[in-house]
Amino acid sequence: EAGVTQFPSHSVIEKGQTVTLRCDPISGHDNLYWYRRVMGKEIKFLLHFVKESKQDESGMPNNRFLAERTGGTYSTLKVQPAELEDSGVYFCASSQDGWRGEQYFGPGTRLTVT
Amino acid sequence: KNEVEQSPQNLTAQEGEFITINCSYSVGISALHWLQQHPGGGIVSLFMLSSGKKKHGRLIATINIQEKHSSLHITASHPRDSAVYICAVRADSNYQLIWGAGTKLIIKP
């Protein structure tokens, strides 16, 4: 069974540009989470999808971040326009049983904004 | 002050040593996770526990709910155990995961 995959593994963009990160959860997992670790800080929760619906997006830092999960399968996280402080590693995770279930993490996307 | 504190931040030990990493938290929780992040970056869940103790191979995790404290132990440590070990708690107020800063462990041969 394939694990959680993320694309790209690394993205380098200039300030002001747009970047779209993709996460493919484990097949059959309705719950999908986005997290990020910015330099020197702890990993922080961004949002939680249940199927295609946003269950909790309280961790999204501002309106430059847009997450979608059309069809309840893969999810995208778009940053537009990117700022220097958005640099970090963006992790995606999926689970079968919501918050009660074990979360399976993807390898992360390292975003560098210059 | 973060709601989840780990100690130590960095730990270097010799192969074979018994390793203990601590996690203290200040919020009410429904579960605590221990995760491992290797230099390549991927995160792997090691344990999810809400009481008592769990063991998997050379890894042991314990939690004391009253004291709001958990420990991760590694017996007979090996260089391949070198990684960042992260404690994360699931808050019972909103079910989000709150993450510690991680403990960077280096095991020397």
Side-chain angles (χ1 to χ4, degrees):
Chain A
E1 180 186 282
V4 177
T5 58
Q6 292 187 244
F7 182 83
S9 57
H10 192 185
S11 179
V12 181
I13 61 170
E14 293 183 353
K15 177 182 170 181
Q17 288 186 322
T18 298
V19 63
T20 300
L21 314 180
R22 173 170 169 147
C23 169
D24 286 76
I26 291 173
S27 178
H29 282 192
D30 288 339
N31 295 271
L32 187 150
Y33 313 83
W34 283 99
Y35 300 92
R36 74 169 181 176
R37 184 201 288 266
V38 295
M39 188 67 70
K41 300 281 185 67
E42 297 82 12
I43 296 172
K44 296 283 190 187
F45 166 84
L46 294 179
L47 87 159
H48 170 206
F49 282 101
V50 177
K51 296 185 181 178
E52 66 274 11
S53 299
K54 291 176 186 173
Q55 183 78 7
D56 181 352
E57 55 182 329
S58 61
M60 294 287 263
N62 52 61
N63 60 10
R64 295 185 294 102
F65 289 76
L66 174 64
E68 294 180 320
R69 194 183 180 196
T70 308
T73 54
Y74 70 91
S75 174
T76 58
L77 180 65
K78 181 190 287 189
V79 185
Q80 179 183 31
E83 297 289 343
L84 298 178
E85 65 264 24
D86 300 331
S87 295
V89 182
Y90 290 76
F91 292 100
C92 171
S94 72
S95 73
Q96 211 164 23
D97 299 322
W99 284 111
R100 291 171 177 75
E102 184 169 352
Q103 294 184 26
Y104 297 85
F105 287 83
T109 293
R110 181 174 296 278
L111 174 64
T112 303
V113 183
T114 62
Chain B
K1 186 174 159 73
N2 197 26
E3 292 158 308
V4 179
E5 295 283 345
Q6 285 185 237
S7 64
Q9 283 186 303
N10 295 282
L11 178 58
T12 300
Q14 290 297 130
E15 182 173 357
E17 286 188 37
F18 181 80
I19 302 299
T20 296
I21 299 170
N22 296 298
C23 175
S24 296
Y25 52 92
S26 57
V27 296
I29 70 168
S30 52
L32 181 143
H33 298 251
W34 280 102
L35 307 109
Q36 180 192 58
Q37 184 177 22
H38 272 283
I43 293 176
V44 175
S45 179
L46 299 174
F47 295 103
M48 182 174 71
L49 65 165
S50 54
S51 65
K53 176 179 172 179
K54 285 190 176 181
K55 184 176 190 290
H56 185 251
R58 295 181 294 106
L59 301 177
I60 303 166
T62 64
I63 187 168
N64 185 319
I65 296 293
Q66 287 74 30
E67 295 187 2
K68 295 188 172 177
H69 181 268
S70 175
S71 293
L72 176 69
H73 305 286
I74 305 174
T75 61
S77 59
H78 190 276
R80 65 175 174 267
D81 297 327
S82 299
V84 175
Y85 292 83
I86 308 171
C87 168
V89 302
R90 190 171 72 218
D92 59 15
S93 58
N94 60 13
Y95 298 105
Q96 291 181 11
L97 278 182
I98 305 171
W99 299 69
T103 294
K104 185 173 181 180
L105 174 66
I106 298 173
I107 303 296
K108 293 186 174 180

